[in-house]
């Protein structure tokens, strides 16, 4: 039996708890995914199952809409060539295995679970538009939204992406605003039900006790162990910093880095998002 088939058959019929980790790019979502993957009985892959991008490709109106065979073929082609490529295996999901995107999502996520996994999860950024549909359709799904100071997010995004794509700092600002507002609404609907958790990047890297306790409770482990190093697709990993100066697994040096490295961009962000910055617990600065 080949490896991918064995994994899928081992997990057939299991009603595993499922987890999606999301947030804006450059917010610390990869750090959270790799940190949780290091915990016992958790299987978490980063940059796997980019469901919002798959949804856009399918041109379906909702994740519950019935799909044509042609749409399913396109979804599987994209999934196997992009989302599944990093795993080095090919899951034999067939078009008759799912009727809509929610079913496909659940199958593709459950397929990667280890034999001893209690929770199987993945990280994909900028997926707030599809989260309401996913949480409604999949009762065993929970979501972690990683929030980071937008001034640091945009400064990092500009350094990492601007010039490589058509996006500008204004688009990064607008994306943060939409994502933040969606996360507030989702927290109201699902937070008290234990299905949605907002984790502030700054609290995590500062090893804030209440943040780590909330995260541990949410993923149902006794405590979050912080190893000396993390693994990323089988390779040693420490950070994904745009500035390349992070030394520790949980390192607070990136907090407020915009003040030193890009105050001009930071103040543009602050002017555009002053209300949201205060509302989300960050302080305004006079540079």
């Amino acid at each position: 039996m080949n490896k991918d088939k064995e994994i899928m058959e081992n997990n057939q019929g299991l009603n595993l708890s499922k987890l999606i980790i999301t947030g804006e790019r450059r917010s610390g979502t990869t750090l959270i995914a790799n940190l949780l993957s290091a915990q016992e009985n958790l299987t978490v892959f980063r940059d796997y199952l980019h469901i919002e991008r798959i949804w856009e490709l399918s041109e379906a109106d909702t994740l519950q809409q019935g799909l044509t065979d042609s749409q399913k073929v396109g979804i599987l082609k994209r999934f196997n060539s992009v989302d599944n490529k990093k795993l080095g295996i090919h899951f034999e999901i067939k078009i008759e295995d799912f009727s809509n995107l929610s079913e496909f999502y659940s199958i593709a996520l459950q397929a990667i679970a280890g034999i001893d996994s209690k929770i199987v999860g993945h990280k994909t950024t900028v997926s707030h538009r599809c989260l309401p549909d996913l949480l409604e359709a999949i009762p065993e799904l929970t979501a972690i939204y990683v929030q980071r100071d937008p001034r640091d997010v945009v400064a990092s995004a500009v350094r990492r992406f601007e010039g490589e794509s058509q996006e500008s700092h204004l688009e990064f600002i607008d994306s943060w605003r939409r994502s933040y507002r969606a996360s507030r609404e989702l927290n109201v609907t699902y937070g008290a039900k234990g299905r949605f958790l907002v984790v502030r990047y700054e609290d995590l890297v500062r090893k804030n006790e209440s943040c780590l306790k909330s995260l541990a409770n949410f993923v149902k482990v006794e405590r979050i162990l912080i190893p000396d190093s993390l693994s990323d697709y089988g390779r040693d990993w420490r950070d994904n910093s745009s500035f390349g100066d992070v030394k520790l697994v949980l390192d607070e040096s990136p907090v407020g880095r915009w003040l030193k490295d890009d105050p001009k961009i930071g103040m543009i962000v602050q002017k555009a998002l002053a209300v949201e910055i205060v509302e989300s617990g960050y302080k305004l600065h006079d540079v």
Side-chain angles (χ1 to χ4, degrees):
M1 180 184 295
N2 61 33
K3 185 179 178 183
D4 53 316
K5 233 174 159 180
E6 184 178 3
I7 292 172
M8 289 192 72
E9 291 188 7
N10 282 336
N11 291 295
Q12 292 263 330
L14 293 181
N15 192 28
L16 292 165
S17 295
K18 298 180 176 70
L19 172 69
I20 180 171
I21 300 164
T22 192
E24 285 299 289
R25 292 173 296 172
R26 319 313 302 154
S27 291
T29 53
T30 296
L31 172 61
I32 289 270
N34 287 340
L35 180 62
L36 291 183
S37 185
Q39 311 304 310
E40 191 174 358
N41 302 127
L42 271 65
T43 298
V44 182
F45 284 87
R46 61 103 177 160
D47 293 329
Y48 169 77
L49 193 53
H50 291 303
I51 186 61
E52 189 135 331
R53 284 163 248 185
I54 293 171
W55 183 13
E56 291 172 358
L57 173 70
S58 74
E59 298 183 345
D61 293 330
T62 71
L63 273 70
Q64 282 74 49
Q65 177 183 314
L67 299 169
T68 65
D69 285 352
S70 177
Q71 286 174 310
K72 293 178 184 180
V73 168
I75 288 166
L76 290 174
K77 182 178 180 181
R78 198 271 185 199
F79 171 71
N80 286 320
S81 64
V82 179
D83 295 77
N84 202 19
K85 190 175 182 180
K86 287 185 178 179
L87 300 183
I89 53 181
H90 179 90
F91 294 128
E92 292 190 18
I93 302 174
K94 301 179 178 66
I95 62 172
E96 57 266 27
D97 293 335
F98 62 98
S99 60
N100 58 44
L101 280 164
S102 292
E103 290 179 3
F104 166 77
Y105 175 85
S106 191
I107 291 168
L109 188 52
Q110 187 154 307
I112 63 171
I115 294 173
D116 297 323
S117 297
K118 294 181 180 177
I119 295 179
V120 58
H122 72 121
K123 163 255 172 171
T124 176
T125 55
V126 197
S127 58
H128 55 273
R129 192 171 69 94
C130 69
L131 273 178
D133 267 9
L134 287 176
L135 290 166
E136 177 68 25
I138 306 172
E140 67 273 20
L141 179 68
T142 57
I144 292 174
Y145 178 83
V146 186
Q147 177 184 292
R148 186 183 181 191
D149 188 323
R151 293 162 294 191
D152 278 326
V153 168
V154 176
S156 179
V158 166
R159 185 179 181 96
R160 184 67 171 263
F161 301 120
E162 204 167 45
E164 295 181 8
S165 69
Q166 299 299 313
E167 295 171 288
S168 69
H169 64 275
L170 296 175
E171 288 169 297
F172 297 137
I173 290 169
D174 191 48
S175 183
W176 190 96
R177 178 189 289 111
R178 291 195 306 269
S179 181
Y180 167 72
R181 289 178 178 172
S183 74
R184 284 178 61 84
E185 292 178 9
L186 286 163
N187 201 30
V188 168
T189 305
Y190 292 102
K193 299 175 183 178
R195 298 186 62 199
F196 191 86
L197 179 70
V198 176
V199 174
R200 284 185 17 143
Y201 169 83
E202 293 81 6
D203 294 336
L204 177 69
V205 296
R206 286 170 172 158
K207 301 181 185 177
N208 178 280
E209 186 177 340
S210 62
C211 174
L212 291 170
K213 185 177 180 179
S214 294
L215 184 58
N217 289 339
F218 191 76
V219 296
K220 300 178 176 61
V221 297
E222 185 176 347
R223 63 192 179 99
I224 297 294
L225 299 174
I226 304 170
D228 293 331
S229 62
L230 296 174
S231 176
D232 183 73
Y233 288 102
R235 297 183 297 273
D236 288 341
W237 182 92
R238 188 173 299 282
D239 75 277
N240 191 32
S241 169
S242 297
F243 296 83
D245 59 354
V246 173
K247 305 299 182 185
L248 305 171
V249 168
L250 296 185
D251 193 326
E252 61 180 280
S253 60
V255 176
R257 187 159 44 194
W258 67 272
L259 278 163
K260 177 185 72 173
D261 291 307
D262 211 334
K264 182 178 178 181
I265 283 289
M267 293 307 292
I268 292 172
V269 176
Q270 180 170 289
K271 184 176 181 180
L273 297 173
V275 172
E276 290 86 351
I277 287 171
V278 173
E279 190 176 66
S280 53
Y282 301 107
K283 292 181 180 180
L284 298 177
H285 288 266
D286 183 14
V287 178

